[in-house]
Amino acid sequence: MATLSVNITESIIINGKDQGGTYSGFTNSSITQVEKRQINITTTEVSLYGTSGSQANATGGPLWDRDKVKYVRITNLDTTTTNFILIVVKNADNDEFLIKLYGTESFLLHRHVNSMHAKEGAAAVGDVGDITLVTAQADTSTQAVEFFIASEAL
């Protein structure tokens, strides 16, 4: 097993005063599997990863055990801040939400069990499902994306 530590640092000085800080509260010492890859995202939707009740293989790659996934980072490596990709997160109830990820930006996910719900209008508290699929699609041109996922033992 290995320890994953995630630190987020914000660095900014306003009127000569440091307003930044570091968040270093996420550590998991039970990580046994990671995957880090760079993917060219095109204007056709592509699967980044899927999850199931246990680790398995599927068309397009492995399915991660959603009980064991503890951390995911998706980073748009494009150096311009005008190009974006769309990240689509889907749950077991077939709810989906989209988020735009512009060049140089990252999107983080943590736990996948009972963690996501999407609904037009007001969502009900507690009405959440398991994240089952994460896909990406470029807006106008192919963009490089870095994908990192960390999981505990089966």
Side-chain angles (χ1 to χ4, degrees), residues 89-110:
V89 180
K90 183 176 182 178
N91 73 9
D93 299 324
N94 286 321
D95 299 324
E96 293 182 343
F97 75 82
L98 301 171
I99 186 162
K100 278 185 179 181
L101 196 61
Y102 285 90
T104 72
E105 294 179 346
S106 294
F107 180 65
L108 307 178
L109 290 166
H110 294 273

